[in-house]
Amino acid sequence: MLEGLMMDYQLTLDKIIEHAARLHPNKKVITKLPDGSFHELTYGEMAKRIRRLSSALESVLGVKPGDRVGTFAWNNYQHLELYFAIPGAAAVCHTLNIRLNGEQLSYIIDHAEDKVVFVDGTLLPLYEQLAAGSTSVQAHVLFNVDRDVQTSLDNVYFYEDLIEQGDENYQWACTDERMASAMCYTSGTTGNPKGALYSHRSTFLHTFGVMQANAMGLGETDTILAVVPQFHAMSWGLPYAGVYSGANLLMPGQFLQAEPLAEMTEKYRVTVAAGVPTIWNGLYHELKNNPRDISTIRALVVGGSAMPRALTRAYETELNVDVLHAWGMTEMSPIGTVSALMSHHADLSTEEKWDVKATQGYPVSGVDMRICDEEGNELPWDGEQMGELQVRGFWVSKQYYKLDKSADHFTADGWFRTGDVATMSPDGYMRITDRTKDLVKSGGEWISSVDLENALIGHEDVMEAAVFAVPDARWAERPWAAITPKDGASVDMDALNQYLTAEGFAKFWLPDNYVSVDELPKTSTGKLDKKVLRKMHADGAW
Ligand code: ADP
């Protein structure tokens, strides 16, 4: 082999903050503080604080390379600093999901063996309560808190003290791109949560991936509102990609309600905003009641669950905001696909364009995808056949932390099994039709619960719908639908099945039964939890 003669310049995250400090020293992270005021910090200043913090992690807290350091915080400048300072000291930034229950949280802290945890003062009582069962943590660092705070935690430090004690000329300890930089556990709807362990290299390449024009296309002129929490799926990579591109980053703190989000967006003329569909649904209704101009947004990035086509349409026609549907997973750092239109869509009608945008989109450069049948045979990209979606790429997990590489999650030929079931169109647009564990298989045929749900929520009596599999002697499984009706409405099986038939669904897809519920069960990350519905059925709830 003739080796190329190019530098092995390491893909380490210190380069992101150093670049921003040099080239964009006056660009800012803007945080809505707990008291509601806005705090501004330039990247020039932030870089100094991060070096100090990295140094204090070593010198004051005794953090060693490879140690796991937890964060329990909202999106704010301190959390952003930690995203750089912990990996900068060659340690692993472990973002803890504040929406887990106590058992799960203690489990992941101890499984990761977090040595230190940084706690946002606004979440201190919650952390004290939830993490009480964990045993690995040796020190806690508090921020957004008064010095005379009462706490049951042992060995407490204050964030600003660490920064004061640290060395501004710190030499970064992250010298090898293969070092672990961060970790995040999946919510674990089945079994214990599992940890994705990112490297500097994978995170760096993901950062490029997010920034590229065919993905979010981030640039120095952007102001990015990161609604997606830093404690879930690394805030979709925006903390790194935003800083590297020299954009301003707007951090909402705990103010994730529609009203403050609308206010911030207008005030700071946000150009890119990222969050889950529920957030944007709330914002849309808020703006109907209290109009504000949010048309500066050029990309409303939506993922985590499917963006309803009707909501995309409402944003584009009524609010003049372009929606960018995206799909990803914690195990994928997380970005996998985005659904932007391509030049060959130019002649489509607006309705057809929304059909394309309702799909999860094409793989961004850096991610390979395939769909496979149950025997593992690859299926064609014909937009029809549904198969398990498998991925590989520069920022995809190859194994879970401290778990054996099981065939349930990784194929022998090196692909990650996403657990999503999808079709691929000939031009490469992926459409999720289900999760493997939520599939309904009736008489050997797959029925897409997601397609049925999407259709059902279009009915005037239906607020939310979840279609789940019920065991059946003749067909193995049959679909049932749990419905939360709109105010004053009731669930009428015949009417709903007639409606689905009119929408073009085959007879064998129609749910065998409809049950009315006050609220659908959801996971800690807001996804429908159909396991609970199946269990309720098995326990004879209906
Ligand atoms: P968790 O498992 O902790 O809830 P993840 O963000 O890792 O968090 O969840 C990834 C899963 O979320 C995907 O496998 C997919 O099922 C679902 N998902 C993410 N984005 C979308 C989307 N745009 N449309 C439909 N489902 C999505």
Side-chain angles (χ1 to χ4, degrees), residues 97 100 184-189 194 198 232-233 236 276-277 302-307 324-332 334 337 358-361 389 416-421 430-438 450 523-527:
N97 188 336
L100 295 176
C184 185
Y185 281 69
T186 64
S187 64
T189 43
K194 296 180 287 294
Y198 313 116
H232 182 218
W236 300 350
V276 295
V302 197
S305 13
M307 178 64 167
L324 185 65
H325 191 192
W327 164 89
M329 297 183 76
T330 301
E331 291 89 335
M332 300 178 67
T337 63
T359 71
Q360 277 67 23
L389 181 64
F416 170 64
R417 303 178 60 181
T418 64
D420 285 323
V421 179
M430 185 269 285
R431 193 173 69 85
I432 292 191
T433 55
D434 241 314
R435 302 275 301 156
T436 39
K437 58 182 191 292
D438 292 338
V450 172
T523 69
S524 61
T525 50
K527 288 168 193 159

Side-chain angles (χ1 to χ4, degrees), residues 71-104:
T71 61
F72 194 82
W74 296 111
N75 291 11
N76 46 38
Y77 68 96
Q78 297 97 332
H79 208 173
L80 183 64
E81 290 171 338
L82 289 164
Y83 261 50
F84 288 98
I86 298 169
V92 181
C93 176
H94 177 195
T95 54
L96 298 167
N97 188 336
I98 67 165
R99 305 226 167 93
L100 295 176
N101 63 34
E103 196 185 324
Q104 289 168 322

Side-chain angles (χ1 to χ4, degrees), residues 521-522 529-539 542:
K522 306 250 171 81
D529 196 347
K530 299 188 195 174
K531 185 179 67 198
V532 174
L533 291 171
R534 289 193 294 268
K535 176 140 194 328
M536 285 168 77
H537 174 269
D539 293 347
W542 300 293

